[in-house]
Amino acid sequence: MKKGILTCIALIMAGVMTACGGSKSQQNTVDLNAFYNDLAGTYEWNDGYMMEIEEDMLDSYYPGLKDIPKKQFIARTPMITAAVCEIVLVEVEDEQDADAVAEILKAHVKQQAEGGAWYPESMEAWSRAEVLQNGNFIALIASSTDQDAMKEAFEQLFESK
């Protein structure tokens, strides 16, 4: 009897602690649009420098990405510039989709670094680009000037979560 009561109390406490703590997905809710807007303000992209990667270009840059359901999605690049600056931010529903998105973004980085970016300086910048993943959140950050700072900013989104 005593053992049964202790088991019930333990189950109730586990439920209370779960309700208070929330699930991992609730704890990791990040507004990618707000994050991008912060980057845009910091790096002064608000003047139209960064453009949305349109759907027809999206498929050529990231084959298969359009077929993966996304909760949040931002893809921006300058339309005409010699400087590398491409930001893709994605949130998907599950880990399998997150892994698939990461592989698609890594393939793009590799293609750009191995000649797709045309110019030696651009290919060098792309070789430093990174695809970051935190749970169901994925980021491609490619910047010839601010790579490390942008990477750190993305990682900080999840430090207090």
Side-chain angles (χ1 to χ4, degrees):
M1 175 86 170
K2 210 180 217 184
K3 199 175 196 179
I5 292 173
L6 288 175
T7 302
C8 286
I9 291 172
L11 289 171
I12 290 169
M13 290 301 292
V16 167
M17 291 179 79
T18 300
C20 291
S23 71
K24 186 176 180 181
S25 63
Q26 287 174 327
Q27 292 176 351
N28 284 339
T29 299
V30 171
D31 183 346
L32 295 178
N33 194 52
F35 174 67
Y36 175 81
N37 288 336
D38 286 345
L39 289 178
T42 299
Y43 300 105
E44 299 179 359
W45 300 333
N46 294 326
D47 61 358
Y49 175 72
M50 297 287 276
M51 306 295 289
E52 182 176 349
I53 299 174
E54 299 292 332
E55 191 167 330
D56 58 332
M57 288 178 57
L58 242 168
D59 207 31
S60 66
Y61 280 24
Y62 312 107
L65 186 60
K66 73 177 183 180
D67 300 326
I68 298 173
K70 294 169 268 315
K71 292 173 77 174
Q72 297 185 73
F73 180 67
I74 297 164
R76 303 281 192 279
T77 192
M79 285 306 172
I80 300 175
T81 184
V84 172
C85 188
E86 190 163 308
I87 305 295
V88 178
L89 306 168
V90 185
E91 179 188 11
V92 294
E93 291 287 339
D94 61 50
E95 188 176 335
Q96 186 176 14
D97 284 344
D99 292 343
V101 168
E103 289 307 312
I104 290 167
L105 298 179
K106 287 176 186 176
H108 178 69
V109 168
K110 181 179 179 187
Q111 184 270 335
Q112 291 293 92
E114 292 179 352
W118 295 84
Y119 304 107
E121 297 85 10
S122 297
M123 291 186 302
E124 173 63 26
W126 274 102
S127 72
R128 293 187 310 274
E130 294 190 58
V131 175
L132 309 167
Q133 186 173 351
N134 189 306
N136 295 345
F137 293 87
I138 310 93
L140 179 153
I141 299 174
S143 174
S144 56
T145 57
D146 301 298
Q147 179 71 37
D148 293 335
M150 288 184 209
K151 173 187 174 184
E152 185 177 318
F154 180 78
E155 291 171 340
Q156 286 177 351
L157 290 172
F158 305 96
E159 285 182 2
S160 64
K161 303 286 179 191

